Amino acid sequence: MLKVVADEAGREDLAASLDEIVREGARRMLAAALEDEVAAYIAAHAAERDGDGRRLVVRNGHARPRQVTTVAGAVEVTAPRVDDRRVDEHTGERARFRSSILPPWCRKSPKVTEVLPLLYLHGLSSKDFVPALEGFFGSGAGLPASAITRLTECWQEEYRRWCERDLSHADYVYCWADGIHFGVRLGADRVCTLVVIGVRADGKKELVALADGHRESTESWASLLRDARRRGMRAPVLAAGDGALGFWAALREVFPQTQQQRDWVHKVVNVLDCLPKSAQPAARKALAQIRGAEDRAHAEQAIKEFAAAYGAKYPKAAAKITDDEDQLLAFFAFPAEHWVHLKTSNPIESTFATVRLRTKVTKGPGSRAAGLAMVFKLIEAASERWRYVNGPHLVALVRAGAKFEKGVLIERPDEAETKVAA
């Protein structure tokens, strides 16, 4: 049996050869595409001639070679030129051929342009672009740190336009609210970004609002919600979030009809903090029985058992559950398919993980405005991977006021009430 043995030097030579083959193939394909584009342009205007019968659109050699950065590396391109002698009758200006494949100003492909902001958002500092990508692209040309500065300015403008969009066409039935804090590299203050993510009537999750707040205060949240209402946002049926937020007082002011659901993940942590370590394993199991109960009646019974077991010795821990019983069990009034989504604020927490990674690597944004724009772009990028909630067809029924018993839709509420009364 024959074997091929390659040493390290051989592997490096092979890798270098493969890279060169890829670049050469990309160069040839690009050259052929440009030649075909010019040939098609000339053929389309072949019938146009001057008074002497000579063609008005002809080839005119090739432009000077230039380097174009592509995902296959730096490729040298010699683009064909066109001599177009046609004159526009209305403006009097000469017509000019412009390649849609390789515009005159292009020095890097759009895909590379897309990669730069993504790398920056996910933790690569602007000063690291040239050394990090020089080996891959074959050149550091076209990758200045100033490009990132221009990108952040564009993101800030995108964020401003997004904040003024009309919300009257989007009906958010559920929503989650939370805030994320991070430092500003060029200042002593800390940014508190308030975020609201909603579920539309078709079951799709979507970023609803994002604003600069002050320590998650009630007034900051109220200002965000009032602005959303001004732009046409309807009151959500249910809002979920951490119980420590000033969001709840603001919600009662702006959307008083919206029901409240406390985040179970935060609640469990808060309860366990009031217990000694020796009591925490059993308490964690008891809390899991409440959260995972098959219906509200069983959950209420589990709360009574928890209060009886821990109320005497650890009244603060028991009170954190009994005082918020209605808010902790609100999700039971909705479709069982949605319970897993409504119990926690995981849709926001998982998105914040990316934001925290970015701010940790770069020691925070350079300014508050840049920080808001950065969070906006990060969440916007993450939202492309958000999946629909379970049972998306049931979301519209929730908005329509349908009733659910033990997580199941009641077809005829009047008959169900009759049975209960009997």
Side-chain angles (χ1 to χ4, degrees):
M1 181 177 180
L2 297 177
K3 294 184 178 179
V4 178
V5 180
D7 56 12
E8 291 299 325
R11 290 193 183 92
E12 293 178 0
D13 292 341
L14 178 61
S17 300
L18 286 174
D19 289 341
E20 187 58 36
I21 291 172
V22 170
R23 278 193 289 270
E24 178 60 20
R27 186 192 66 77
R28 292 184 180 184
M29 291 179 65
L30 180 57
L34 292 172
E35 292 288 348
D36 290 344
E37 184 183 33
V38 167
Y41 183 82
I42 293 174
H45 303 288
E48 301 185 44
R49 301 175 181 268
D50 61 12
D52 297 328
R54 291 174 295 191
R55 289 187 176 185
L56 292 176
V57 182
V58 297
R59 295 181 63 97
N60 187 26
H62 290 79
R64 289 181 296 178
R66 57 172 157 150
Q67 291 278 342
V68 178
T69 304
T70 71
V71 292
V75 177
E76 186 176 272
V77 178
T78 304
R81 296 192 302 185
V82 175
D83 183 9
D84 195 336
R85 300 188 184 94
R86 295 175 301 150
V87 178
D88 190 292
E89 296 179 358
H90 302 288
T91 63
E93 297 181 354
R94 283 274 302 269
R96 179 175 298 180
F97 167 73
R98 289 186 179 275
S99 172
S100 59
I101 299 174
L102 188 69
W105 46 264
C106 182
R107 291 297 183 273
K108 57 178 176 285
S109 74
K111 285 296 182 184
V112 174
T113 305
E114 293 173 9
V115 166
L116 295 182
L118 287 176
L119 290 176
Y120 174 73
L121 284 172
H122 290 287
L124 189 64
S125 179
S126 56
K127 70 180 186 308
D128 297 326
F129 271 96
V130 173
L133 301 181
E134 189 171 19
F136 177 72
F137 291 125
S139 170
L143 300 173
S146 59
I148 299 302
T149 301
R150 292 194 298 272
L151 282 170
T152 55
E153 293 174 354
C154 292
W155 294 338
Q156 291 176 36
E157 179 59 30
E158 286 181 32
Y159 168 68
R160 283 191 288 269
R161 291 197 301 269
W162 179 83
C163 287
E164 292 300 321
R165 76 195 190 286
D166 183 18
L167 295 178
S168 60
H169 302 296
D171 183 13
Y172 301 107
V173 180
Y174 301 130
C175 71
W176 298 274
D178 205 349
I180 182 172
H181 302 255
F182 50 86
V184 176
R185 189 169 62 251
L186 302 181
D189 60 344
R190 285 177 60 81
V191 177
C192 175
T193 304
L194 309 180
V195 180
V196 176
I197 293 176
V199 177
R200 301 187 321 200
D202 61 357
K204 182 177 175 58
K205 299 172 189 172
E206 192 173 88
L207 179 62
V208 179
L210 186 151
D212 186 3
H214 180 67
R215 297 181 181 179
E216 302 187 58
S217 66
T218 298
E219 182 52 39
S220 295
W221 278 110
S223 176
L224 180 148
L225 294 176
R226 283 194 293 265
D227 178 68
R229 185 180 61 183
R230 175 186 62 81
R231 290 184 284 124
M233 179 180 174
R234 292 181 62 185
V237 177
L238 180 75
D242 181 13
L245 299 177
F247 171 75
W248 302 114
L251 185 70
R252 287 190 292 271
E253 174 192 334
V254 182
F255 297 126
Q257 61 271 51
T258 299
Q259 299 182 53
Q260 302 178 21
Q261 171 63 51
R262 295 292 186 269
D263 175 25
W264 268 98
V265 173
H266 287 86
K267 178 61 71 173
V268 169
V269 172
N270 293 337
V271 172
L272 295 180
D273 284 343
C274 298
L275 297 172
K277 289 186 178 180
S278 60
Q280 289 182 8
R284 189 185 296 274
K285 291 181 180 179
L287 293 171
Q289 289 180 352
I290 302 172
R291 183 183 57 209
E294 60 181 283
D295 55 39
R296 178 160 183 145
H298 286 83
E300 291 174 347
Q301 180 60 35
I303 288 179
K304 292 178 181 178
E305 294 174 359
F306 182 86
Y310 297 94
K313 291 184 179 180
Y314 314 107
K316 289 185 178 180
K320 288 183 178 295
I321 297 296
T322 56
D323 290 352
D324 290 338
E325 179 175 333
D326 289 339
Q327 290 79 12
L328 287 170
L329 305 184
F331 68 90
F332 281 114
F334 296 89
E337 291 86 345
H338 299 169
W339 291 356
V340 66
H341 304 290
L342 303 179
K343 294 178 188 179
T344 71
S345 55
N346 278 347
I348 286 186
E349 289 295 333
S350 59
T351 302
F352 279 0
T354 303
V355 178
R356 292 189 179 98
L357 173 63
R358 176 72 184 95
T359 55
K360 180 179 180 181
V361 172
T362 59
K363 311 302 182 185
S367 66
R368 299 179 72 90
L372 280 172
M374 182 190 69
V375 174
F376 167 67
K377 293 301 291 184
L378 280 170
I379 297 179
E380 183 183 58
S383 66
E384 297 178 1
R385 300 185 298 274
W386 290 347
R387 65 181 182 87
Y388 283 65
V389 297
N390 299 337
H393 62 286
L394 297 172
V395 180
L397 294 178
V398 172
R399 170 58 79 185
K403 301 298 181 182
F404 296 83
E405 184 176 338
K406 297 183 179 180
V408 180
L409 176 66
I410 301 175
E411 297 293 341
R412 295 182 179 179
D414 53 339
E415 291 186 3
E417 292 175 1
T418 302
K419 292 180 180 179
V420 172

